[in-house]
């Protein structure tokens, strides 16, 4: 095996394990909430914040994390993020009370925000141009699989071990990857040597307002003063951020990237895909544990037809994306996902037979695979080498924002039409919520179809279609 292939494999191993750890924590805690409440106490709002504290710091600090990687070194910030995530996982497992757990989850989100934007950048730097689609597709499939497997893995640990193990499992992985990443990952930096402090503060503040408002919306009501203030204030600060980035000579995030239809369309699709998928998986997990009466592990097993598909299909999809292009594959994946959710919405009832839902779950799994596998290559190929760090940060930040948006919106639709009191009232709320998720993803498919079939060359800071991004193979020292 030559040096180049070894570098790709080692880098994929480090980045893949990092992605798997962080992505699992998006949903794995949800299945453990009843056990956490029994062990540590806490009211419903505190339990919600064991999930939201992680989501808030993760989504808000993603762009600043990418900027710090460009400034101080991507491998260095990857290691810092991984170390923070590992230590915070141990702290969460050892938490003596609900407040300590919430604080540890916030630090976990901080570590994830430093780690996640750099995975795509580090791997893109070593992957050969001819194989970049397959390599990045495999990494994206790892992310999608980890997200979807969260309920099953969380349920198994809660049922057969203890809820603390959903955090302990991260510690040996982190301790393994830290020295490996220090030894094998190549260092690289972005084009801008100076950190845009004003832009970093504005981005973090604006995203905090938006994410906090979305989190509190279902609980406080969307017309509540705190929610409206957070959403309006966040949107205004982000508008100021955009204006600042357009004027400053050394921007934290080059706004010109959004002039590229591929970059804009894929980011819009990612936000909508994550909104529909996260909100739907959240409701399905609750449906199987609530009206159907399954244990946490049994509920996770019922979602397995959705989650196991990427294992078999992802390598094929990544291979195809290198040869026939990614646009149609991603649009088809979003269509599959929307149709699968619509199928479930049309069939679900308090006494629905599980086998009748299996084809829809498989269709959702196909949709997730077709979306995740080519997306990373499609986005990263649309930007120049010096912009890859911030492009990756934008992709991950908007996806995480989409997840928060999806849970908030679908939960609001659910509560407007049903409640948790009975199986009938649960499905009364679940059906319109799933249709909402399906519609969001269908709009994402339209956003992908609106992107050009071939990326245009000649724009400043953008890579031509099908071309190797300058410096992709040799970035780093």
């Amino acid at each position: 095996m030559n040096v180049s292939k070894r570098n790709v494999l080692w880098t994929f191993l480090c980045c893949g394990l990092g992605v798997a750890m962080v992505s699992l924590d998006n949903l794995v805690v949800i299945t453990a909430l009843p056990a956490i409440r029994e062990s540590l106490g806490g009211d419903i709002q505190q339990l919600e914040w064991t999930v939201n504290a992680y989501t808030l710091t993760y989504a808000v600090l993603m762009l600043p994390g990418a900027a710090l990687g460009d400034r101080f070194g991507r491998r260095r910030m990857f290691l810092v993020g991984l170390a923070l995530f590992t230590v915070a996982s141990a702290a969460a497992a050892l938490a003596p009370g609900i407040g300590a757990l919430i604080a540890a989850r916030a630090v976990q989100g901080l570590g994830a925000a430093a780690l996640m934007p750099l995975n795509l950048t580090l791997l893109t730097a070593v992957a050969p141009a001819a194989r970049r689609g397959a390599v990045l597709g495999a990494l994206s499939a790892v992310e999608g699989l980890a997200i979807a497997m969260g309920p099953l893995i969380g349920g198994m640990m809660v049922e057969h071990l203890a809820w603390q193990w959903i955090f302990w499992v991260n510690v040996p992985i982190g301790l393994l990857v830290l020295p490996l990443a220090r030894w094998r990952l190549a260092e690289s930096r972005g084009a801008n040597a100076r950190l845009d402090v004003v832009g970093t503060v504005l981005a973090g503040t604006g995203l905090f307002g938006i994410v906090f408002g979305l989190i509190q919306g279902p609980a406080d009501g969307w017309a509540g003063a705190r929610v409206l203030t957070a959403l309006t204030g966040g949107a205004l600060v982000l508008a100021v951020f955009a204006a600042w980035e357009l004027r400053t000579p050394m921007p934290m995030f080059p706004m010109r990237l959004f002039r590229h239809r591929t970059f804009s369309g894929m980011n819009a699709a990612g936000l909508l895909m994550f909104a529909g998928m996260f909100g739907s998986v959240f409701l399905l997990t609750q449906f199987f544990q609530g009206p159907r009466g399954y244990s946490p592990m049994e509920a996770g097993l019922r979602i397995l037809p959705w989650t196991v598909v990427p294992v078999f299909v992802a390598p094929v999809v990544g291979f195809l994306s290198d040869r026939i292009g990614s646009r149609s594959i991603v649009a088809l994946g979003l269509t599959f996902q929307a149709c699968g959710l619509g199928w479930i919405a049309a069939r679900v009832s308090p006494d629905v037979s599980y086998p009748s839902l299996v084809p829809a779950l498989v269709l959702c799994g196909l949709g997730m695979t077709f979306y995740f596998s080519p997306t990373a290559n499609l986005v990263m190929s649309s930007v120049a080498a010096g912009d890859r760090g911030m492009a990756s940060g934008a992709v991950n930040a908007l996806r995480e924002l989409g997840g928060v948006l999806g849970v908030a919106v679908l939960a609001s639709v659910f509560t407007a039409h049903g409640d948790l009191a009975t199986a009938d009232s649960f499905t009364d709320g679940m059906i319109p919520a799933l249709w909402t998720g399906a519609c969001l993803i269908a709009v994402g498919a339209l956003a992908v179809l609106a992107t050009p079939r071939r990326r245009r060359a000649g724009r400043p800071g953008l890579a031509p279609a099908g071309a190797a991004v300058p410096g992709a193979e040799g970035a780093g020292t």
Side-chain angles (χ1 to χ4, degrees), residues 287-288 292 294 302 305 343-344 347 351-362:
F287 172 73
F288 285 132
R292 300 314 305 268
Y294 296 121
R302 295 309 187 279
W343 189 337
I344 296 172
R347 292 286 306 165
D351 56 354
V352 64
S353 68
Y354 172 72
S356 69
L357 298 179
V358 170
L361 294 170
V362 171

Side-chain angles (χ1 to χ4, degrees), residues 124-456:
T124 302
V126 299
R131 299 289 298 160
R132 190 174 296 129
V135 173
L136 295 182
L139 185 68
S140 293
V142 168
E143 180 184 4
L145 180 62
I147 290 171
M149 289 290 284
L152 173 60
I153 293 174
M156 291 175 64
M157 290 181 175
V158 170
E159 194 165 327
H160 295 292
L161 297 170
W163 68 263
Q164 287 88 346
W165 278 96
I166 65 177
F167 301 115
W168 279 127
V169 71
N170 295 325
V171 176
I173 298 174
L175 293 177
L176 170 67
V177 177
L178 276 168
L180 192 61
R182 178 68 182 84
W183 177 39
R184 285 294 185 177
L185 294 183
E187 185 61 283
S188 64
R189 289 176 171 80
N192 293 342
R194 181 169 61 87
L195 183 65
D196 177 14
V197 177
V198 174
T200 301
V201 172
L202 288 173
T205 303
L207 285 172
F208 179 88
I210 296 291
V211 175
F212 182 83
L214 290 174
I215 288 172
Q216 288 299 119
D220 292 0
W222 295 103
R226 183 164 62 165
V227 172
L228 288 177
T229 299
L231 292 175
T232 304
L236 290 174
V237 173
L238 287 180
V240 174
F241 165 73
W244 170 264
E245 295 298 285
L246 289 170
R247 294 173 61 88
T248 183
M250 300 287 281
M252 181 195 86
F253 183 83
M255 300 301 292
R256 68 179 182 280
L257 296 182
F258 284 108
R259 295 200 299 264
H260 194 280
R261 286 170 57 197
T262 297
F263 184 82
S264 297
M266 291 306 301
N267 274 292
L271 185 146
L272 293 167
M273 168 66 174
F274 268 61
M277 185 178 72
F278 263 68
S280 300
V281 170
F282 175 78
L283 288 173
L284 276 172
T285 303
Q286 304 308 307
F287 172 73
F288 285 132
Q289 290 189 62
R292 300 314 305 268
Y294 296 121
S295 70
M297 188 185 76
E298 289 171 338
L301 286 171
R302 295 309 187 279
I303 303 177
L304 199 59
W306 185 338
T307 62
V308 78
V309 170
V311 176
F312 303 101
V313 181
V316 177
V317 176
F319 177 83
L320 290 174
S321 71
D322 283 327
R323 283 155 177 77
I324 64 176
S326 302
R327 175 180 172 272
S328 298
I329 293 177
V330 173
L332 185 61
L334 291 166
T335 303
F336 283 164
Q337 187 78 61
C339 290
L341 291 180
W343 189 337
I344 296 172
R347 292 286 306 165
V348 73
S349 67
D351 56 354
V352 64
S353 68
Y354 172 72
S356 69
L357 298 179
V358 170
L361 294 170
V362 171
L363 190 60
C364 286
L366 284 172
M368 185 174 72
T369 311
F370 274 60
Y371 166 79
F372 271 106
S373 293
T375 296
N377 187 43
L378 194 59
V379 174
M380 298 300 277
S381 296
S382 71
V383 302
D387 293 329
R388 277 194 230 118
M390 291 314 306
S392 178
V395 169
N396 284 285
L398 287 170
R399 284 179 176 181
E400 192 64 20
L401 186 63
V404 177
L405 176 67
V407 172
V409 170
L410 267 64
S412 295
V413 174
F414 174 87
T415 54
H417 296 86
D419 54 48
L420 302 174
T422 66
D424 286 322
S425 62
F426 189 99
T427 53
D428 286 344
M430 182 179 176
I431 290 170
L434 289 180
W435 279 118
T436 302
C439 290
L440 290 173
I441 296 173
V443 174
L446 295 177
V448 173
L449 291 174
T451 63
R453 286 186 176 275
R454 290 185 176 274
R455 291 177 288 277
R456 301 170 186 172

